[in-house]
Amino acid sequence: MKMAKQVILTGIRANNDLHIGNYMGAMLPMIDMATKRAGEYQVNLFVPDLHSFTTPIDHSKLQEAIMNNLRVFVAAGLPLDNPDVHIYRQSYIPAHSELTIVLDCFTGVGEMGRMTQYKDKIQKNGDDRVSVGLFNYPVLMAADILLYNTSYIPVGDDQTQHLEFARDIALRLNANFNQDLFVVPKSVKKQHAFFGKDQGLRIKDLIDPTKKMSKSDESGRGVIFLNDTPEIARKKITSATTDSLSRVGYNTDQPGISNLLELLALFSSRSLDEVRKEFEGQTQYGPLKEALADSVANFLTDFQTSLAKVDDKVLKSKLETSEKAMNTAANRVLFKVQQAVGLRPRD
Ligand code: TYM
């Protein structure tokens, strides 16, 4: 029997304001795998549309946001003509919701209550204004991963706890039912090694570099969105918070400058070491900001040109083929679980 290819999978929520953190943390590693190592792996890039309203959104804009996300995948360079590449919408594959309900019954309330993202929201908003959907977010995310026998999941650092939960619940059910119901995703450490990193990526906000760049940021001044014009991005970089040490350095005392160095390495496709060698010790911050502004402006110009060229017809046709194939694949895993828990006869 032919060995199935290892699966690399990630999801990016549909909001009309994807930023460079989403791009570098999740999308680029997927595109790299799909282009540089095509044929070796199966690559699943999907829109977790059910995850998109775990916090309140404007529902009249969701359809357009979903389509826009899919276009962004293509503009970023995902090769749609590769048969090992799949793009799909979570809610078009009902097995995601069905497996979630089953996994829910093997998940502790306390276990979910300890998730940082959930705790942060509760602290900010109080528990009556946080939805059960948000509480349950990691379980749906585990279903997204486990339905496709996934080994590798490129995500930013903020998702590490959720990845660990996906592994835990897979191991738990396999042990409980004494069979290999799920392929257990690789450990977070192995995932980082696979993607050539020593830790998960966490791009910081340009104005407050002690927090991560995030689409929920109210002013957006510290966030570079993929639809920012190159001029706006340039201004945001020029106004980025630095410090008064007047010496470029990569260390915890200089979170703003360290973030700029990391960004420059990412956007100029160089190693951090190389970028540090070039800039460390300089007594002015201007040249570093300028180099980054140039790289980001070039990136945005190319990206936005590709986005305008995406052919919706080709996209929709790929979506249809992928969603059909993914329903078959996901239902196979779901059925094994349904048999194990007694919802379906064993034979
Ligand atoms: P979402 O849409 O909130 O984020 C998409 C990806 O962007 C990463 N990210 C960052 N990476 C580096 N620096 C940042 N400042 C930054 N901000 C965001 C996130 O870590 C994420 O990888 N829960 C997922 C969506 C999801 C999913 C899945 C992912 C649902 N089901 C199954 C993988 C597998 C999320 O955070 O999406």
Side-chain angles (χ1 to χ4, degrees):
M1 206 173 83
K2 228 175 77 181
M3 276 275 285
K5 290 184 179 162
Q6 282 193 313
V7 178
I8 308 174
L9 167 151
T10 206
I12 299 180
R13 277 183 298 160
N15 308 69
N16 255 332
D17 46 9
L18 293 180
H19 56 74
I20 57 170
N22 303 131
Y23 185 90
M24 289 296 176
M27 203 141 27
L28 192 63
M30 292 294 280
I31 311 282
D32 269 357
M33 287 296 159
T35 50
K36 298 189 187 135
R37 298 175 75 170
E40 273 179 75
Y41 296 98
Q42 180 185 320
V43 172
N44 289 14
L45 186 53
F46 73 101
V47 181
D49 50 0
L50 291 166
H51 276 116
S52 293
F53 52 98
T54 47
T55 50
I57 59 160
D58 177 352
H59 289 267
S60 69
K61 298 205 171 107
L62 184 56
Q63 256 317 298
E64 185 48 30
I66 292 167
M67 284 316 291
N68 194 51
N69 256 37
L70 292 162
R71 288 186 200 111
V72 165
F73 297 169
V74 185
L78 193 72
L80 295 189
D81 55 358
N82 179 341
D84 292 325
V85 168
H86 303 286
I87 50 167
Y88 52 97
R89 294 159 289 188
Q90 183 187 45
S91 75
Y92 279 68
I93 295 141
H96 290 240
S97 307
E98 293 182 48
L99 181 60
T100 300
I101 300 285
V102 174
L103 297 182
D104 273 343
C105 301
F106 297 87
T107 302
V109 169
E111 199 174 16
M112 288 300 98
R114 284 190 291 276
M115 293 285 162
T116 313
Q117 272 196 345
Y118 169 75
K119 277 200 309 199
D120 287 352
K121 281 272 166 14
I122 290 273
Q123 213 170 33
K124 249 203 221 149
N125 304 330
D127 56 3
D128 269 343
R129 299 186 57 195
V130 171
S131 71
V132 174
L134 185 79
F135 181 68
N136 209 28
Y137 186 116
V139 184
L140 177 57
M141 181 163 162
D144 297 339
I145 294 169
L146 301 179
L147 280 173
Y148 302 95
N149 296 327
T150 309
S151 297
Y152 296 104
I153 307 116
V155 282
D157 178 54
D158 57 325
Q159 297 299 310
T160 303
Q161 222 184 358
H162 298 163
L163 285 193
E164 276 162 358
F165 172 71
R167 264 175 68 77
D168 287 351
I169 191 91
L171 288 165
R172 191 176 306 164
L173 266 84
N174 286 355
N176 219 313
F177 295 100
N178 201 18
Q179 54 175 303
D180 288 334
L181 287 176
F182 299 120
V183 167
V184 180
K186 304 283 181 205
S187 70
V188 171
K189 204 167 157 215
K190 282 197 183 143
Q191 307 245 359
H192 292 333
F194 180 75
F195 293 110
K197 297 192 193 124
D198 49 10
Q199 57 180 35
L201 189 69
R202 176 176 286 256
I203 290 182
K204 316 290 189 321
D205 186 271
L206 295 175
I207 300 295
D208 179 358
T210 59
K211 61 173 213 194
K212 70 163 186 170
M213 189 177 279
S214 160
K215 42 193 161 201
S216 50
D217 175 71
E218 272 114 44
S219 79
R221 284 193 308 137
V223 182
I224 298 183
F225 296 102
L226 294 180
N227 57 8
D228 276 346
T229 64
E231 295 71 39
I232 290 191
R234 199 176 271 285
K235 276 202 196 112
K236 288 181 177 173
I237 293 167
T238 314
S239 327
T241 303
T242 52
D243 51 58
S244 52
L245 297 176
S246 296
R247 196 163 193 283
V248 175
Y250 185 79
N251 53 61
T252 45
D253 291 337
Q254 297 186 275
I257 293 295
S258 302
N259 192 35
L260 297 182
L261 287 167
E262 277 179 32
L263 283 170
L264 181 58
L266 288 167
F267 280 96
S268 59
S269 308
R270 284 188 287 168
S271 70
L272 181 59
D273 280 349
E274 212 179 305
V275 171
R276 282 177 65 178
K277 252 187 221 136
E278 186 182 337
F279 287 93
E280 261 179 331
Q282 289 193 6
T283 51
Q284 287 185 332
Y285 295 152
L288 170 61
K289 282 187 166 178
E290 205 157 306
L292 178 60
D294 287 344
S295 307
V296 171
N298 285 339
F299 162 80
L300 287 176
T301 307
D302 291 350
F303 173 77
Q304 289 165 7
T305 309
S306 308
L307 189 63
K309 283 198 208 138
V310 173
D311 183 337
D312 274 4
K313 249 186 128 171
V314 176
L315 174 65
K316 283 182 183 157
S317 145
K318 177 75 180 184
L319 205 49
E320 206 174 297
T321 321
S322 289
E323 283 171 354
K324 213 163 154 202
M326 293 300 99
N327 263 304
T328 307
N331 284 339
R332 209 175 290 141
V333 173
L334 177 66
F335 187 65
K336 271 204 303 184
V337 176
Q338 288 172 324
Q339 281 186 316
V341 299
L343 287 169
R344 296 287 181 275
R346 294 238 168 176
D347 272 312

